[in-house]
Each structure stands twice: as structure tokens, then as C-alpha cells.
Amino acid sequence: MWADNETKDDLLGYQVHADLLRDVVLDPKMLPISIGVFGDWGSGKSSLMLLMQESIEKWRTETEEANKVGGAAKKNARVLQIMFNSWQFEDYEDTKLTLIETILSDVIKDIEDHRDVFEKADACLSKIKYLKLGVVVLKNLARKIIPKEIQELLPNKEEWKEISKEDQDLLLDEVKEANSSLFIKRFREDFTQIIADGDYRSVVVYVDDLDRCSPKRIIQCLEAVKLFVNVDKTAFVIGADQRIIEHAIHEQYKTPLQQTTISSPYSDYLEKLIQLPYKLPKLSYSEQETYVTLLLCSKMENENLFPTIHKKYLKFREKDKHSKYGLDKIEKDNPEVNFSTTSGYLSIIPIMASFLNGNPRQLKRFLNTFDMRRRMAGVAGFREIAPEMLVKLMVLEYNSQLRQYIDDLYSKQKDTGFIKGMKKVEEQAEAGEVKENGWKDLWNTPEGKRWLSTKPSLAQKNLRNYFWISREALQVATPIESKVSALVQGVYDRLKMSQTDKALSEKIWNETNRFTKDEFCMLVMLLNQELMANPESEVVRRFVDVDKDNKIFQTVLDVKDLFEGVDTGKLGPEYSDFLKRKSNDAACKAYIDGLNLSQPLKNAMK
């Protein structure tokens, strides 16, 4: 199994991105700066930030060593890096002040750990403790525990003793609700001086998982960044899905997101806050193959050998940014290692790369499910499970545009395990058109034909054991949340709160106007879950009613996805308009005619 979390082991070739951003945040001419590391769900934003931290630390160590040796002009190597995971503080009363407090605490720790190099350590600490206590008071004020009785909101005795009586009086005056701008002004001035006195080259703050937070918390974090954005020698690196951030801005300010004259995807607010937007690219076909090959090597062989394999991959990637680093190159670079286990799984890599959209998290989760199914086969005594056959069937579950095909295949093989006429259908798909009755309505699509013509062939193959090991594992190994991005889940949660059809229709297209086909499929998946739990759901009924232009339910596959596993006999007459609209398509009509519908619904459709 592979851990589904961020990692410092670069298997994606992201070191080049990390080194580039490192150079930016260490360049005095570029500071202060805010960088938005933007990417979709599971694209590797957190891993990139970890690599960036490692890259900066390596630069700092090398620079200090060079300074000791002398010769060239000495460089200032003092860099403070601060990590703030905004999602972990989601439940805090004021995320903005919590972020500021975290930054101040880390600066205090750094100064105390390096007193020997600080000429003004005590003066810096005094300023920071003053600012930190001001933040504590502001946090308590924000909670409004006793708004008019400031004494009840003071820090504890030990904290309060940290600053002089004169500063205590000054702080209380500055943080009063009507006067807090004075404290903010002093905060910026003092923090700028602290950075200067500390002789920092750069203070780099990483804000991760911002797109997992509620809109309110997102805005609070952005406001905290805005407070620092003009403080000398500071750099903020913010990891998020830009569309979720834009939605939060829209929710907060209730104005349409404005596009710039050069068609930038960022709102005006975000453009002012993020000075350098950095979009992570989707993995290419060869990058996916390399990534999966390295993942297999890391677990299929002796894990103690993988650090050496990984170092040689990094050395290769330094010289060649384009080529695939396949098992042939890995074996050549590591002749002492026997890769017989990994080589047995090479056949699964092209299938995964062809059908899984190049998302690192999805590729890793897919491999975990594959590993569980492989182990299940061993426990069940199925000795003839071919990895490439198992993966070819599994991609139907993970690719949102292919899910309905697996139900059709299951129904076609359930009696004997063999699919009658499979060879002929595969040949037709390869020739460009599926003509066979019982196949053409569903499978004669670009996705269906591509899958049918992909090796290995299913002709004359007994699939019974493959479906047996998948029947229960699908629900356990691939829960709905692992297939749905945070963006789609957030949009769905907001839309389902609409009380009426009118309210939903006013919101839905603004929320989904930038959805990809894959994201619409995720939305249908969530509606299906709702309908399975409650066939009388008003939520789903509203969605199907407002979809007059077929934006959500575009094909027969989307309609099948909606009703998969649903007790359609419990659907009421309110679905009649939707089903009649869909029956205008021959493939949809054939599917709908085969559904077990309630008599009231049938009557309404007539």
C-alpha cells in the first residue's frame, strides 16, 4: 500500500518547480511577494511546498558553508520558513489572527534558538511579545465574550508580565474596537523592524489546504496575508484550487467575479493579493508512466533499496526533463537489483496512463485499490488473475465517463463468466464503429471504442473471478469522497441548500459554468448517492427539473449514473418531465423503457 499524503520524495519531477520558486523567494529584488501555487484536487501542491522547503534549507546550508570558507562575497543565509495548514485551524474562532499568532510564535522560537547571531535579540523579543499579546486580546475581542469589559479579555498573568506597564496601557488603548487600526499600523511597522533587526534574508510562510476551508475561513486567511504583503523580506506561498478561492471571494463580497482585459482567470481581488500565480501542469503520458513505475518499485521490491533508485532517478531528471524513466532505464542504472516483481506489473502502466487523467492522487489511490484486489485474489485462491486484465476492468470504475460500462459487462458475463461475441465487438471498435446489437447503443462512443480496442482482449476470458473480487471491494476501497474533488463537493453542498427550483436555477450555472465533463460526472455521482439513500429526495428532483439544456445529464451514461443502484419503483410522478425529455434520445429511451418505474410515474409520462 502507498501512503496517500504529501511527500518529500519527488516522483513527479516537481523539483524544477520547487527550485524555481525557491529562487524567487530568496531574491531580495522580488520581495515582498505572494505566490499562489494553483492546481486541481490531488495535483501535488502540498508535496511541491515540502520540496520547496527542502530546496531552501539545502541552499541555506550550502551558503553558510561557503561563507565559512570565504573568498567570494558573503551572502545572507538567514531564512525562516513557517508552515501553516489552514484546514487544521478551520474550527478556530478567527483563522486570520491564528495565522498571525503562528507566525509570531515561530519568529520568537527562531530568535531564541539563535541568540548568538542576534545583536538585538532582547529588543526583537520584546516587540514580538507585545504584538503577540495584542493578537491574543484581539482574538478574545473577536469572540465577543464580554464586549464592553476589557479586563475579562486580557491574557493570563504570566503572559501579561512579559511587557512593561507602559506597553500594557498602550496596547489596551490600541486594541479597543474603535481604535484597532492603530494596533494594525504599529504591527506592520514593528514586524518590519523585527525582520530587519533579525537580519533575515527572507521569511517564507506556506499556507496549505486553503481550498478545504469554508469561504469565511478562506477570506480570513487572505486578509492575514494582505496584512503582511507589503512587509519587507516576506514571501507567502499559498496552495489552493483557484476556483474555490474565487468562490469564497464571491460569497464574501457578493459581486460577480471580474475578468481582466487580458482574460486572466483570476478575480480582481485575487490578482491584487497573488502577485505570482503558478499553475501546476497536468502530468504528461510519459510522466504518469514514470510516476507509476517508481511507485511500483518502491513497494514491490526491497524498500530499503528504493532510496538509491530514487537518487538515480533525480540525477536522470536533472539532465533530461522530457523522457520517460521506465523500468529499462531503472534496471540499467541499478544492475545489482532484481526487478522481477515490478516487471510482472509493467503491463498495467499504459492502461492506467491512458484512462486516469494524470492526477497523482488518483493514480496512487488506484494502485492501493489494485493492491487490495490482488491480495483478495490470493486469499480467495484465484491463481490466474492477470494484473493487466484486472486493471483494464478497474479503470471503468475510476474514469467517471466509463463507469456505466462495467455494469453492462457484468450483466453480459454473469451466467458463464464469458462474454459472447466479445472478439467481434473488439474488432469493430478497432475498426471505428461498434455495430453489434446489444452493444452499439452504449459502446459506440469514443471512450467505449477506445477501451474495447485497448489490450488485453477480453475475448474467451472467464471474468467471473475478476468481478467476484471487485463486488464488495468497490464500496470499501473507493468511497465516494475519493472520486469527487473538493471543488465539486463544495459546489454540491451549496447548491443542495437551495429551497426552491427558482433558487437553484439562479445559482447552478454560475457555480458550474467552468466545470469540465469529468466534474459534471462527479456531480451526477453525488446526486446518485442522494437518490440511493432517498428515492423521494427533493434535492435530486430539483436538479433534474432545472437541467432543461442537458448540461448535467448530457448522455445516456449520465442518466444511467443517476439511477444506478436506485429503487426506481419509488420514484414519483415528478420525474415524468425529465424522463420524457430524455426519451427523445433513442439510447436513453431504450434504457428508460427497461427501468422498473412506479405505475403513477408511468401514468404521468403518458
Side-chain angles (χ1 to χ4, degrees):
M1 299 288 284
W2 292 264
D4 186 18
N5 48 35
E6 63 272 12
T7 176
K8 294 179 183 178
D9 292 332
D10 180 23
L11 307 184
L12 297 168
Y14 277 8
Q15 191 64 53
V16 65
H17 303 298
D19 291 345
L20 172 60
L21 295 178
R22 173 206 63 199
D23 291 347
V24 171
V25 302
L26 295 181
D27 184 349
K29 296 176 184 176
M30 295 296 295
L31 302 178
I33 193 170
S34 53
I35 301 171
V37 176
F38 294 131
D40 297 336
W41 165 81
S43 59
K45 301 182 291 294
S46 299
S47 293
L48 173 59
M49 286 195 272
L50 285 179
L51 288 171
M52 191 176 165
Q53 290 178 67
E54 289 278 296
S55 183
I56 290 173
E57 183 59 25
K58 181 181 176 184
W59 175 91
R60 189 191 62 76
T61 303
E62 290 174 350
T63 302
E64 285 182 348
E65 290 300 318
N67 287 344
K68 289 177 184 176
V69 173
K74 291 186 177 182
K75 290 183 180 178
N76 183 353
R78 284 199 49 72
V79 180
L80 175 59
Q81 300 192 80
I82 301 168
M83 174 58 77
F84 182 79
N85 189 305
S86 49
W87 190 41
Q88 291 179 0
F89 295 94
E90 167 76 7
D91 295 330
Y92 280 52
E93 283 293 325
D94 196 310
T95 309
K96 172 174 66 176
L97 293 172
T98 303
L99 170 57
I100 295 171
E101 192 175 17
T102 300
I103 293 170
L104 293 175
S105 295
D106 280 28
V107 174
I108 288 174
K109 185 178 184 305
D110 188 64
I111 292 174
E112 289 180 335
D113 288 347
H114 299 91
R115 274 181 171 271
D116 55 324
V117 297
F118 276 94
E119 294 181 8
K120 302 178 181 179
D122 290 333
C124 284
L125 288 171
S126 178
K127 279 190 177 76
I128 297 172
K129 287 173 181 176
Y130 175 88
L131 296 178
K132 192 175 176 185
L133 283 176
V135 171
V136 170
V137 176
L138 282 175
K139 284 176 76 174
N140 286 324
L141 280 169
R143 295 188 190 106
K144 305 289 186 184
I145 300 172
I146 310 175
K148 294 181 181 177
E149 296 183 32
I150 194 89
Q151 292 299 323
E152 295 295 327
L153 304 174
L154 297 178
N156 63 47
K157 267 186 188 177
E158 294 305 314
E159 290 176 317
W160 199 241
K161 287 178 183 177
E162 297 282 350
I163 63 175
S164 67
K165 177 68 170 65
E166 183 182 349
D167 276 344
Q168 290 175 19
D169 294 338
L170 180 61
L171 188 149
L172 286 175
D173 182 58
E174 287 182 351
V175 300
K176 287 175 184 174
E177 287 189 84
N179 210 20
S180 59
S181 60
L182 284 177
F183 176 74
I184 297 301
K185 181 174 182 292
R186 173 162 175 170
F187 182 95
R188 292 172 72 100
E189 291 171 352
D190 282 3
F191 195 75
T192 300
Q193 190 60 49
I194 289 163
I195 300 298
D197 291 346
D199 194 27
Y200 287 106
R201 181 188 184 91
S202 180
V203 173
V204 186
V205 182
Y206 302 89
V207 181
D208 196 14
D209 283 337
L210 191 57
D211 49 13
R212 293 190 182 193
C213 297
S214 66
K216 178 182 176 182
R217 300 299 187 225
I218 289 173
I219 295 300
Q220 287 181 353
C221 277
L222 293 179
E223 286 178 347
V225 173
K226 200 162 58 171
L227 175 63
F228 284 93
V229 92
N230 291 319
V231 174
D232 290 344
K233 299 183 180 181
T234 60
F236 276 78
V237 183
I238 301 167
D241 183 325
Q242 69 193 47
R243 293 173 297 177
I244 293 179
I245 306 305
E246 288 184 353
H247 171 78
I249 296 166
H250 174 61
E251 284 293 295
Q252 175 72 14
Y253 298 106
K254 300 298 181 186
T255 55
L257 295 178
Q258 301 297 315
Q259 302 295 320
T260 69
T261 54
I262 58 171
S263 300
S264 165
Y266 312 111
S267 68
D268 288 346
Y269 181 99
L270 199 53
E271 280 188 330
K272 290 171 184 172
L273 182 69
I274 302 297
Q275 293 150 338
L276 176 61
Y278 196 83
K279 175 82 172 174
L280 284 180
K282 183 175 283 192
L283 297 185
S284 68
Y285 188 93
S286 66
E287 287 170 334
Q288 291 179 65
E289 288 203 52
T290 299
Y291 179 57
V292 176
T293 303
L294 290 170
L295 285 175
L296 289 171
C297 288
S298 70
K299 296 298 180 184
M300 296 297 181
E301 310 301 341
N302 186 334
E303 290 187 37
N304 295 326
L305 299 173
F306 187 69
T308 302
I309 296 169
H310 183 236
K311 282 181 183 176
K312 291 179 179 177
Y313 157 70
L314 294 177
K315 190 174 180 181
F316 167 84
R317 193 52 84 204
E318 283 178 8
K319 298 177 181 178
D320 188 338
K321 299 291 188 290
H322 306 287
S323 302
K324 175 180 73 175
Y325 193 67
L327 191 60
D328 54 340
K329 288 189 175 72
I330 295 174
E331 287 179 320
K332 185 178 179 181
D333 289 345
N334 302 273
E336 72 284 2
V337 180
N338 182 351
F339 289 96
S340 57
T341 306
T342 300
S343 63
Y345 292 96
L346 282 185
S347 57
I348 76 172
I349 298 174
I351 307 172
M352 290 177 63
S354 293
F355 292 98
L356 292 184
N357 301 324
N359 183 292
R361 179 176 294 160
Q362 189 185 49
L363 289 168
K364 190 181 286 186
R365 288 182 174 182
F366 183 95
L367 276 180
N368 281 336
T369 305
F370 167 76
D371 189 53
M372 288 298 292
R373 303 255 176 104
R374 184 176 64 88
R375 295 185 191 196
M376 172 71 80
V379 172
F382 299 153
R383 306 299 177 197
E384 297 181 359
I385 295 291
E388 66 273 15
M389 288 278 291
L390 177 57
V391 166
K392 183 174 179 179
L393 290 167
M394 281 179 58
V395 294
L396 297 179
E397 302 167 21
Y398 271 78
N399 187 314
S400 55
Q401 298 183 41
L402 297 174
R403 280 195 316 278
Q404 285 297 332
Y405 294 127
I406 199 162
D407 294 330
D408 192 56
L409 289 177
Y410 176 75
S411 66
K412 284 178 165 57
Q413 64 78 47
K414 64 182 180 182
D415 294 328
T416 65
F418 295 91
I419 299 178
K420 186 178 179 181
M422 191 71 203
K423 182 174 176 58
K424 186 175 183 180
V425 172
E426 289 174 342
E427 289 172 349
Q428 289 176 353
E430 198 163 354
E433 184 179 5
V434 177
K435 302 176 181 178
E436 204 70 8
N437 288 334
W439 290 84
K440 60 183 180 181
D441 290 341
L442 180 61
W443 290 86
N444 195 37
T445 63
E447 296 84 9
K449 288 182 287 188
R450 186 161 69 93
W451 186 88
L452 285 169
S453 55
T454 297
K455 303 301 180 186
S457 167
L458 300 188
Q460 301 304 311
K461 298 292 194 307
N462 190 329
L463 303 179
R464 179 170 290 177
N465 290 343
Y466 292 92
F467 279 101
W468 189 90
I469 62 174
S470 302
R471 61 197 174 103
E472 296 298 334
L474 177 59
Q475 292 300 320
V476 175
T478 56
I480 190 74
E481 58 268 22
S482 73
K483 298 182 184 181
V484 176
S485 71
L487 171 70
V488 176
Q489 184 69 61
V491 167
Y492 176 68
D493 289 342
R494 292 190 295 273
L495 291 176
K496 69 186 289 190
M497 299 302 291
S498 305
Q499 297 299 313
T500 64
D501 290 7
K502 183 179 179 182
L504 179 61
S505 63
E506 288 173 353
K507 294 179 183 178
I508 189 167
W509 304 128
N510 286 332
E511 290 269 17
T512 63
N513 64 351
R514 289 169 63 189
F515 268 21
T516 62
K517 171 61 179 169
D518 230 27
E519 287 166 337
F520 274 116
C521 289
M522 292 178 187
L523 180 58
V524 175
M525 204 186 306
L526 290 168
L527 291 169
N528 169 255
Q529 293 288 307
E530 181 90 27
L531 205 56
M532 278 200 292
N534 178 18
E536 299 175 357
S537 168
E538 271 295 294
V539 173
V540 180
R541 198 273 307 159
R542 284 199 294 271
F543 271 88
V544 300
D545 275 359
V546 300
D547 189 35
K548 300 289 195 292
D549 298 325
N550 299 323
K551 291 184 178 178
I552 302 176
F553 308 99
Q554 299 173 19
T555 68
V556 64
L557 296 181
D558 299 313
V559 178
K560 284 190 169 188
D561 276 349
L562 177 65
F563 293 126
E564 180 185 3
V566 174
D567 185 355
T568 53
K570 293 183 179 178
L571 297 177
E574 59 271 17
Y575 282 87
S576 61
D577 286 346
F578 172 72
L579 294 175
K580 282 194 291 185
R581 282 201 313 272
K582 293 302 172 187
S583 293
N584 291 329
D585 175 80
C588 270
K589 185 176 187 310
Y591 171 72
I592 291 167
D593 287 346
L595 292 175
N596 176 33
L597 301 178
S598 67
Q599 195 57 49
L601 178 51
K602 288 180 180 178
N603 293 340
M605 289 177 66
K606 291 178 182 177

